[in-house]
Amino acid sequence: MSEIAVLAGNHTYFEKIMPDSIDIHEHDVWEFMFFIKVSGVYFMEGKAYRLHENDVLLIPPRIQHRIIMDAPSEYERYNMLFDSALLPEDLKAMLPQINTIIHLEDNGVKALLSSFDVYMSSFDKKTAFIGFDAVLKALLLRMYLVSGESDRKQTSRVNPIITRATAYIQKNLVSIDSVDDVCAALFITNSHLHHLFQKYLMTSPGKYIMSKRIFEAQRLIRSGELPIRAASKVGFDNYATFYRNYKKFFGHSPSEENMINVVREQYF
């Protein structure tokens, strides 16, 4: 029997969801999202997508993203986190060829996902995840076929300065001393950069850099690195600062990372 690739999953509905309900975040595994009701914009590393009903997002690991809703609005979606290493080899090889965002008309997709609800309500978690896994694999195959037929190409740049700033931060994450370094590289003022981050990402440049470092440190710790070395490798000079922020992000200390069950649904 093959291993189960799906690690977490849910079906969520909000009668009214606020614009800032979902913080900018990332996962250490792939994320699949199918939207039934949505009115908002999806942001991913300096790019933006206007979301529509029946859109699917396929988000690779370690990509910071968030959804900003249009005012209080109705919101319903299915969401699964999965480990690509546990997919069959043929399906794993297809992932790079699947578009990040795809529009799937209701040609059986909702019916397929409705079985997700049946599994969730009828079986224990372990058994239900066998069903989730089958649903995910069928949907990935369908997305692969659609990707080969067309590409929506509805990507737009959030803002050229935001795009350049996030790219610079990604490239120089460890060596950046402060937000002033980013401003100097882009030849803009700190206040202007802060304004743009708040407008387009609803976070500050400092918090964005901090979150990138904390998530990278988590990846290193999970791979076996000692917390104090992980902190140094991602640019923290002071371990106490790293410790305080790590615990604030994840709710547990760095040394506890590999001693507890990973709560992967933190941002579901």
Side-chain angles (χ1 to χ4, degrees), residues 25-78:
H25 64 283
E26 63 183 67
H27 302 286
D28 61 340
V29 291
W30 288 77
E31 183 171 17
F32 167 93
M33 302 179 74
F34 178 80
F35 298 95
I36 297 175
K37 298 181 184 296
V38 67
S39 179
V41 177
Y42 165 72
F43 295 94
M44 179 183 72
E45 299 286 358
K47 298 179 182 179
Y49 304 88
R50 166 59 59 177
L51 292 170
H52 302 85
E53 294 181 6
N54 297 328
D55 276 352
V56 179
L57 291 179
L58 189 63
I59 308 166
R62 299 296 166 188
I63 297 294
Q64 292 230 340
H65 57 280
R66 76 173 302 165
I67 297 172
I68 298 179
M69 306 302 169
D70 297 333
S73 57
E74 195 175 16
Y75 179 61
E76 183 177 7
R77 59 102 176 94
Y78 286 90

Side-chain angles (χ1 to χ4, degrees), residues 3-4 16 30 48 50 52 78 95 105-106 111 120 123 156 173 187 200 227 242-243:
E3 295 182 271
I4 305 299
K16 288 185 178 180
W30 288 77
R50 166 59 59 177
H52 302 85
Y78 286 90
L95 281 179
E105 295 297 340
D106 188 18
M120 186 178 293
F123 302 111
S156 62
L173 184 62
F187 303 102
Y200 292 103
F242 168 72
Y243 181 96

Side-chain angles (χ1 to χ4, degrees), residues 84-95:
S84 62
L86 302 180
L87 290 173
E89 290 300 321
D90 290 349
L91 189 53
K92 189 193 310 182
M94 294 178 186
L95 281 179

Side-chain angles (χ1 to χ4, degrees), residues 32 34 78 80 108-117 135 139:
F32 167 93
F34 178 80
Y78 286 90
M80 285 181 274
V109 174
K110 288 181 182 177
L112 183 59
L113 280 166
S114 67
S115 63
F116 184 105
D117 299 313
V135 170
L139 289 168

Side-chain angles (χ1 to χ4, degrees), residues 188-207:
I188 60 173
T189 64
N190 193 306
S191 60
H192 185 44
L193 185 65
H194 189 277
H195 169 74
L196 291 175
F197 265 74
Q198 289 290 354
K199 179 179 179 179
Y200 292 103
L201 301 180
M202 298 184 77
T203 190
S204 69
K207 288 181 179 179

Side-chain angles (χ1 to χ4, degrees), residues 100-262:
T100 301
I101 183 167
I102 294 173
H103 185 73
L104 293 179
E105 295 297 340
D106 188 18
N107 52 356
V109 174
K110 288 181 182 177
L112 183 59
L113 280 166
S114 67
S115 63
F116 184 105
D117 299 313
V118 175
Y119 299 145
M120 186 178 293
S121 62
S122 303
F123 302 111
D124 59 69
K125 184 176 181 179
K126 184 177 180 180
T127 305
F129 270 57
I130 296 174
F132 297 170
D133 203 61
V135 170
L136 174 69
K137 290 170 182 175
L139 289 168
L140 289 177
L141 287 172
R142 186 167 300 192
M143 292 172 70
Y144 175 77
L145 292 174
V146 173
S147 292
E149 296 170 357
S150 63
D151 186 349
R152 287 184 66 184
K153 293 189 180 298
Q154 66 162 16
T155 309
S156 62
R157 297 291 180 181
V158 174
N159 175 278
I161 294 176
I162 290 289
T163 300
R164 288 165 55 206
T166 54
Y168 180 85
I169 291 168
Q170 181 65 37
K171 184 177 179 180
N172 301 279
L173 184 62
V174 177
S175 60
I176 292 172
D177 288 326
S178 70
V179 175
D180 289 337
D181 291 350
V182 184
C183 296
L186 273 58
F187 303 102
I188 60 173
T189 64
N190 193 306
S191 60
H192 185 44
L193 185 65
H194 189 277
H195 169 74
L196 291 175
F197 265 74
Q198 289 290 354
K199 179 179 179 179
Y200 292 103
L201 301 180
M202 298 184 77
T203 190
S204 69
K207 288 181 179 179
Y208 181 86
I209 294 169
M210 177 68 71
S211 66
K212 293 291 290 184
R213 285 177 167 169
I214 291 294
F215 279 110
E216 176 61 15
Q218 183 190 55
R219 183 189 69 80
L220 291 172
I221 293 170
R222 286 180 178 176
S223 68
E225 193 71 74
L226 291 174
I228 193 168
R229 286 182 58 82
S232 177
K233 283 187 174 183
V234 300
F236 284 93
D237 296 325
N238 186 298
Y239 185 76
T241 301
F242 168 72
Y243 181 96
R244 182 173 61 254
N245 281 282
Y246 197 99
K247 194 164 186 177
K248 181 180 178 180
F249 264 77
F250 301 120
H252 57 265
S253 69
S255 60
E256 294 175 306
E257 183 62 51
N258 293 321
M259 299 167 57
I260 62 175
N261 292 325
V262 178

